[in-house]
Amino acid sequence: MNNLLAFLSKHSHWLIFLFLEVVSVLLLVRFNRYHAGVWFTSANAIAGQLNSWRAQMDAYFHLEDVNTQLTQRNLVLEQQLRRTREQLREARKQQPDTVRGLPLSTEHIRLIRAKVVDNSVNRPDNLITIDKGRADGVQTDMGVACGTGVVGIVYLTSQHYSVVVPVLNMRSNISCSIAGRGYFGYLHWNGGASDVAYVDDIPRHATFKKGDEIVTSGYSAVFPPGILVGKVTNIENSADGLSYRLQVKLSTDFANLRDVCVIDDRSARERLQLLRSAQDSIKLQKLQ
């Protein structure tokens, strides 16, 4: 104790100098917008680079798991493609003039591959950071998915990074439907387990069962239809008893999320711009 006091007494002028320097920097950042902007931009850039290095190391040690997931997903996609081709072939035989006019490609959709550099699953407001930004074509309100299903929606972008609001965020609200049945509702996460969410507002006259797949509905301007969300594990009544509430086992393993794709759907972006223009026009008419 005496040695500590002697050390502090001997170097007290340096300690006071350092303390005053820290206070000065804090006051400079706190009360000057320019310096605050420079500080936060530099801090975010450094944090982003450190998170990127960490993510690269994690990705290296999880290559085997990623390859296994990709192999399994490819098998599922091959089966779905085979069934779709068979259904299309049968439909062409029955209604050749109508079905031939359907688009058989997804030229309007571009997938931007990205890696997760920061992620959390145990908070009510979980966020995901990916290593792609405006320089790579990523924009706000774009959907994000992985090899096993839906991940979330882009919320904020910088030049080289983007922040995603995942399904595991209590503000997330994604339009979903029951595969093959047409009924749709909205996907919400209420906290708790990272593999369970709920689809609300399913109408009472809907017919479905446990084990049915939940997919994106395509009714929003974010996700195209048919992207896997999960499977129904339980059926409940809504709070007012007017609709069903479905418990869903999410197909995406958010605790082990490494590689994702940002969905650049040009047709959806056009619809979103048109919708926003209509909303702005309505607001302007109300003001007049």
Side-chain angles (χ1 to χ4, degrees):
M1 187 64 181
N2 291 332
N3 292 334
L4 176 61
L5 293 176
F7 175 82
L8 294 176
S9 176
K10 182 178 179 180
H11 300 284
S12 59
H13 54 289
W14 288 109
L15 296 174
I16 294 173
F17 172 76
L18 292 175
F19 174 75
L20 293 176
E21 284 292 317
V22 171
V23 172
S24 299
V25 171
L26 292 176
L27 291 175
L28 184 65
V29 173
R30 176 65 178 82
F31 295 103
N32 293 272
R33 293 184 178 179
Y34 172 76
H35 294 88
V38 172
W39 168 263
F40 286 116
T41 300
S42 302
N44 287 336
I46 294 173
Q49 187 61 56
L50 291 175
N51 287 330
S52 180
W53 289 340
R54 187 190 66 184
Q56 291 175 4
M57 293 182 61
D58 290 342
Y60 176 80
F61 290 108
H62 289 83
L63 284 177
E64 183 177 354
D65 294 337
V66 171
N67 288 333
T68 300
Q69 290 182 5
L70 289 176
T71 301
Q72 294 174 346
R73 187 59 179 167
N74 285 338
L75 291 174
V76 172
L77 291 175
E78 287 290 342
Q79 293 173 353
Q80 292 177 349
L81 180 60
R82 191 178 302 110
R83 288 197 298 267
T84 301
R85 284 174 174 171
E86 292 174 356
Q87 293 171 357
L88 183 59
R89 193 180 301 113
E90 292 298 323
R92 277 178 170 169
K93 292 178 182 178
Q94 298 174 10
Q95 297 178 340
D97 295 333
T98 303
V99 179
R100 283 198 185 102
L102 293 177
L104 301 181
S105 65
T106 55
E107 294 179 355
H108 61 283
I109 294 178
R110 180 171 69 104
L111 298 180
I112 304 171
R113 292 182 296 178
K115 288 190 176 293
V116 174
V117 297
D118 193 27
N119 186 17
S120 64
V121 297
N122 56 0
R123 304 171 184 169
D125 55 350
N126 293 302
L127 295 173
I128 295 174
T129 304
I130 59 176
D131 65 349
K132 291 293 186 293
R134 289 192 298 269
D136 308 287
V138 179
Q139 300 180 21
T140 57
D141 296 322
M142 283 185 174
V144 181
C146 65
T148 55
V150 167
V151 173
I153 300 173
V154 176
Y155 174 68
L156 192 64
T157 63
S158 65
Q159 279 297 105
H160 303 292
Y161 296 94
S162 298
V163 175
V164 178
V165 174
V167 172
L168 302 186
N169 186 305
M170 297 181 71
R171 297 183 180 181
S172 176
N173 186 30
I174 298 174
S175 177
C176 299
S177 64
I178 305 173
R181 301 185 184 274
Y183 304 105
F184 73 95
Y186 294 91
L187 184 72
H188 300 283
W189 183 67
N190 298 331
S194 63
D195 60 346
V196 176
Y198 296 88
V199 175
D200 295 317
D201 301 329
I202 298 295
R204 298 292 296 184
H205 62 272
T207 57
F208 52 86
K209 64 182 185 302
K210 292 182 181 179
D212 280 353
E213 289 186 345
I214 301 296
V215 297
T216 54
S217 66
Y219 293 154
S220 70
V222 178
F223 291 101
I227 300 179
L228 184 63
V229 174
K231 291 186 177 182
V232 177
T233 56
N234 195 25
I235 303 170
E236 306 172 358
N237 290 320
S238 63
D240 56 11
L242 300 178
S243 60
Y244 288 118
R245 187 182 198 224
L246 309 183
Q247 185 183 72
V248 178
K249 173 78 170 179
L250 297 174
S251 59
T252 299
D253 183 2
F254 286 91
N256 193 33
L257 194 59
R258 308 293 174 194
D259 297 273
V260 298
C261 288
V262 181
I263 303 171
D264 181 9
D265 188 341
R266 289 188 291 273
S267 65
R269 202 160 63 239
E270 182 180 347
R271 296 198 308 270
L272 183 60
Q273 290 173 353
L274 181 62
L275 177 61
R276 287 176 173 172
S277 298
Q279 292 173 341
D280 292 341
S281 177
I282 293 173
K283 290 179 181 178
L284 184 60
Q285 290 177 3
K286 288 182 177 179
L287 290 176
Q288 292 175 347

